[in-house]
mmCIF file of all heavy atoms in Angstrom:
data_model
loop_
_atom_site.group_PDB
_atom_site.id
_atom_site.type_symbol
_atom_site.label_atom_id
_atom_site.label_comp_id
_atom_site.label_asym_id
_atom_site.label_seq_id
_atom_site.Cartn_x
_atom_site.Cartn_y
_atom_site.Cartn_z
ATOM 1 N N MET S 1 76.296 101.807 137.284
ATOM 2 C CA MET S 1 76.489 101.064 135.933
ATOM 3 C C MET S 1 77.928 100.591 135.844
ATOM 4 O O MET S 1 78.833 101.286 136.374
ATOM 5 C CB MET S 1 76.127 102.022 134.827
ATOM 6 C CG MET S 1 74.594 102.338 134.736
ATOM 7 S SD MET S 1 74.164 103.086 133.149
ATOM 8 C CE MET S 1 75.174 104.601 133.210
ATOM 9 N N ALA S 6 88.676 100.169 126.373
ATOM 10 C CA ALA S 6 89.932 99.705 125.834
ATOM 11 C C ALA S 6 90.424 100.821 124.890
ATOM 12 O O ALA S 6 89.732 101.618 124.386
ATOM 13 C CB ALA S 6 89.788 98.355 125.113
ATOM 14 N N LEU S 61 84.344 101.228 136.276
ATOM 15 C CA LEU S 61 85.024 101.181 134.954
ATOM 16 C C LEU S 61 85.897 99.929 134.930
ATOM 17 O O LEU S 61 86.805 99.845 135.688
ATOM 18 C CB LEU S 61 85.844 102.391 134.672
ATOM 19 C CG LEU S 61 86.570 102.408 133.257
ATOM 20 C CD1 LEU S 61 85.591 102.515 132.140
ATOM 21 C CD2 LEU S 61 87.603 103.528 133.201
ATOM 22 N N ALA S 67 97.018 100.259 124.127
ATOM 23 C CA ALA S 67 98.044 99.957 123.239
ATOM 24 C C ALA S 67 98.088 101.072 122.178
ATOM 25 O O ALA S 67 97.089 101.252 121.533
ATOM 26 C CB ALA S 67 98.008 98.521 122.629
ATOM 27 N N PRO S 71 102.519 105.723 113.981
ATOM 28 C CA PRO S 71 102.197 105.343 112.532
ATOM 29 C C PRO S 71 103.382 104.776 111.743
ATOM 30 O O PRO S 71 104.553 105.261 111.799
ATOM 31 C CB PRO S 71 101.648 106.592 111.985
ATOM 32 C CG PRO S 71 101.062 107.402 113.024
ATOM 33 C CD PRO S 71 102.069 107.089 114.304
ATOM 34 N N LEU S 72 103.046 103.685 111.046
ATOM 35 C CA LEU S 72 103.996 103.055 110.138
ATOM 36 C C LEU S 72 103.216 102.257 109.137
ATOM 37 O O LEU S 72 102.062 102.617 108.870
ATOM 38 C CB LEU S 72 105.030 102.255 110.885
ATOM 39 C CG LEU S 72 106.356 101.990 110.238
ATOM 40 C CD1 LEU S 72 106.957 103.294 109.811
ATOM 41 C CD2 LEU S 72 107.319 101.105 111.093
ATOM 42 N N ARG S 77 99.561 90.906 111.114
ATOM 43 C CA ARG S 77 98.232 90.319 111.413
ATOM 44 C C ARG S 77 98.186 89.712 112.869
ATOM 45 O O ARG S 77 97.204 89.915 113.588
ATOM 46 C CB ARG S 77 97.960 89.257 110.387
ATOM 47 C CG ARG S 77 96.605 88.602 110.553
ATOM 48 C CD ARG S 77 96.250 87.659 109.378
ATOM 49 N NE ARG S 77 94.857 87.165 109.442
ATOM 50 C CZ ARG S 77 94.110 87.049 108.415
ATOM 51 N NH1 ARG S 77 94.678 87.267 107.185
ATOM 52 N NH2 ARG S 77 92.868 86.671 108.536
ATOM 53 N N ALA S 122 82.441 95.252 115.309
ATOM 54 C CA ALA S 122 81.518 94.232 115.021
ATOM 55 C C ALA S 122 81.519 93.118 115.991
ATOM 56 O O ALA S 122 80.545 92.524 116.336
ATOM 57 C CB ALA S 122 81.622 93.712 113.571
ATOM 58 N N HIS S 143 89.356 106.706 108.924
ATOM 59 C CA HIS S 143 88.453 106.197 107.783
ATOM 60 C C HIS S 143 87.100 105.832 108.482
ATOM 61 O O HIS S 143 87.013 104.761 109.062
ATOM 62 C CB HIS S 143 89.019 104.929 107.121
ATOM 63 C CG HIS S 143 90.509 105.142 106.715
ATOM 64 N ND1 HIS S 143 90.921 106.205 106.097
ATOM 65 C CD2 HIS S 143 91.540 104.354 107.097
ATOM 66 C CE1 HIS S 143 92.296 106.046 105.811
ATOM 67 N NE2 HIS S 143 92.626 104.952 106.401
ATOM 68 N N PHE S 158 87.730 113.903 117.031
ATOM 69 C CA PHE S 158 88.280 115.174 117.400
ATOM 70 C C PHE S 158 87.798 116.184 116.328
ATOM 71 O O PHE S 158 87.652 115.915 115.247
ATOM 72 C CB PHE S 158 89.807 115.154 117.392
ATOM 73 C CG PHE S 158 90.485 114.046 118.144
ATOM 74 C CD1 PHE S 158 91.750 113.565 117.765
ATOM 75 C CD2 PHE S 158 89.825 113.409 119.186
ATOM 76 C CE1 PHE S 158 92.325 112.546 118.463
ATOM 77 C CE2 PHE S 158 90.451 112.370 119.957
ATOM 78 C CZ PHE S 158 91.678 111.980 119.522
ATOM 79 N N TYR S 161 92.694 120.247 114.588
ATOM 80 C CA TYR S 161 93.945 119.748 114.097
ATOM 81 C C TYR S 161 94.925 120.930 114.157
ATOM 82 O O TYR S 161 94.806 121.838 113.376
ATOM 83 C CB TYR S 161 93.783 119.319 112.644
ATOM 84 C CG TYR S 161 95.048 118.795 112.022
ATOM 85 C CD1 TYR S 161 95.947 118.003 112.748
ATOM 86 C CD2 TYR S 161 95.371 118.934 110.636
ATOM 87 C CE1 TYR S 161 97.068 117.446 112.138
ATOM 88 C CE2 TYR S 161 96.490 118.457 110.015
ATOM 89 C CZ TYR S 161 97.414 117.733 110.799
ATOM 90 O OH TYR S 161 98.524 117.240 110.279
ATOM 91 N N MET S 196 86.567 113.892 99.262
ATOM 92 C CA MET S 196 87.762 114.771 99.242
ATOM 93 C C MET S 196 88.871 114.093 99.997
ATOM 94 O O MET S 196 88.728 113.324 100.965
ATOM 95 C CB MET S 196 87.436 116.087 99.985
ATOM 96 C CG MET S 196 86.287 116.879 99.315
ATOM 97 S SD MET S 196 85.709 118.264 100.357
ATOM 98 C CE MET S 196 87.121 119.254 100.689
ATOM 99 N N THR S 203 93.594 125.738 112.593
ATOM 100 C CA THR S 203 94.107 126.952 113.212
ATOM 101 C C THR S 203 93.943 128.167 112.308
ATOM 102 O O THR S 203 94.524 129.247 112.781
ATOM 103 C CB THR S 203 95.604 126.693 113.474
ATOM 104 O OG1 THR S 203 96.271 126.199 112.215
ATOM 105 C CG2 THR S 203 95.837 125.607 114.468
ATOM 106 N N GLY S 250 67.318 109.921 118.067
ATOM 107 C CA GLY S 250 66.220 109.216 117.605
ATOM 108 C C GLY S 250 65.622 109.778 116.304
ATOM 109 O O GLY S 250 64.610 109.219 115.775
ATOM 110 N N GLU S 325 124.705 123.266 103.400
ATOM 111 C CA GLU S 325 125.342 123.729 102.145
ATOM 112 C C GLU S 325 125.287 125.300 101.987
ATOM 113 O O GLU S 325 126.239 125.838 101.405
ATOM 114 C CB GLU S 325 124.595 123.142 100.895
ATOM 115 C CG GLU S 325 124.853 121.596 100.758
ATOM 116 C CD GLU S 325 124.078 121.008 99.732
ATOM 117 O OE1 GLU S 325 123.087 121.591 99.253
ATOM 118 O OE2 GLU S 325 124.370 119.780 99.407
ATOM 119 N N ALA S 332 117.729 125.333 115.054
ATOM 120 C CA ALA S 332 117.459 124.056 115.775
ATOM 121 C C ALA S 332 116.578 123.159 114.869
ATOM 122 O O ALA S 332 115.680 123.724 114.216
ATOM 123 C CB ALA S 332 116.661 124.288 117.069
ATOM 124 N N ALA S 352 132.155 115.143 123.445
ATOM 125 C CA ALA S 352 132.935 114.534 122.424
ATOM 126 C C ALA S 352 132.684 115.270 121.054
ATOM 127 O O ALA S 352 131.545 115.595 120.781
ATOM 128 C CB ALA S 352 132.700 113.053 122.303
ATOM 129 N N ARG S 353 133.707 115.410 120.276
ATOM 130 C CA ARG S 353 133.488 115.906 118.954
ATOM 131 C C ARG S 353 133.826 114.671 117.998
ATOM 132 O O ARG S 353 134.882 114.137 118.016
ATOM 133 C CB ARG S 353 134.532 117.018 118.622
ATOM 134 C CG ARG S 353 134.285 117.697 117.264
ATOM 135 C CD ARG S 353 134.960 119.028 117.053
ATOM 136 N NE ARG S 353 134.665 119.641 115.810
ATOM 137 C CZ ARG S 353 133.585 120.246 115.475
ATOM 138 N NH1 ARG S 353 132.666 120.448 116.394
ATOM 139 N NH2 ARG S 353 133.377 120.808 114.294
ATOM 140 N N LEU S 388 99.910 116.998 123.881
ATOM 141 C CA LEU S 388 99.073 118.041 123.342
ATOM 142 C C LEU S 388 97.976 118.412 124.252
ATOM 143 O O LEU S 388 97.538 119.610 124.225
ATOM 144 C CB LEU S 388 98.492 117.533 122.037
ATOM 145 C CG LEU S 388 99.319 117.668 120.731
ATOM 146 C CD1 LEU S 388 98.572 116.954 119.590
ATOM 147 C CD2 LEU S 388 99.483 119.063 120.386
ATOM 148 N N PRO S 396 106.868 109.600 125.511
ATOM 149 C CA PRO S 396 108.230 109.119 125.518
ATOM 150 C C PRO S 396 109.060 109.278 124.198
ATOM 151 O O PRO S 396 108.592 109.037 123.181
ATOM 152 C CB PRO S 396 108.126 107.602 125.859
ATOM 153 C CG PRO S 396 106.820 107.245 125.374
ATOM 154 C CD PRO S 396 105.945 108.412 125.507
ATOM 155 N N THR S 399 116.007 107.671 124.202
ATOM 156 C CA THR S 399 117.291 108.308 124.345
ATOM 157 C C THR S 399 117.310 109.605 123.552
ATOM 158 O O THR S 399 117.024 109.445 122.224
ATOM 159 C CB THR S 399 118.460 107.355 123.953
ATOM 160 O OG1 THR S 399 118.454 106.268 124.800
ATOM 161 C CG2 THR S 399 119.801 108.134 124.162
ATOM 162 N N VAL S 458 105.237 130.946 110.772
ATOM 163 C CA VAL S 458 105.189 129.433 110.562
ATOM 164 C C VAL S 458 105.170 129.265 108.997
ATOM 165 O O VAL S 458 104.294 129.702 108.363
ATOM 166 C CB VAL S 458 104.099 128.796 111.298
ATOM 167 C CG1 VAL S 458 104.015 127.312 110.952
ATOM 168 C CG2 VAL S 458 104.152 128.981 112.797
ATOM 169 N N GLN S 499 76.081 127.414 95.586
ATOM 170 C CA GLN S 499 77.297 127.356 96.426
ATOM 171 C C GLN S 499 76.924 127.996 97.836
ATOM 172 O O GLN S 499 76.035 128.864 97.938
ATOM 173 C CB GLN S 499 78.425 128.117 95.868
ATOM 174 C CG GLN S 499 78.908 127.555 94.524
ATOM 175 C CD GLN S 499 79.495 126.144 94.609
ATOM 176 O OE1 GLN S 499 80.446 126.005 95.401
ATOM 177 N NE2 GLN S 499 78.891 125.150 93.965
#
Side-chain angles (χ1 to χ4, degrees):
M1 293 192 297
L61 182 68
L72 204 56
R77 182 174 189 141
H143 311 308
F158 309 154
Y161 183 39
M196 296 165 61
T203 52
E325 291 173 345
R353 185 165 182 82
L388 276 174
T399 300
V458 174
Q499 299 294 303

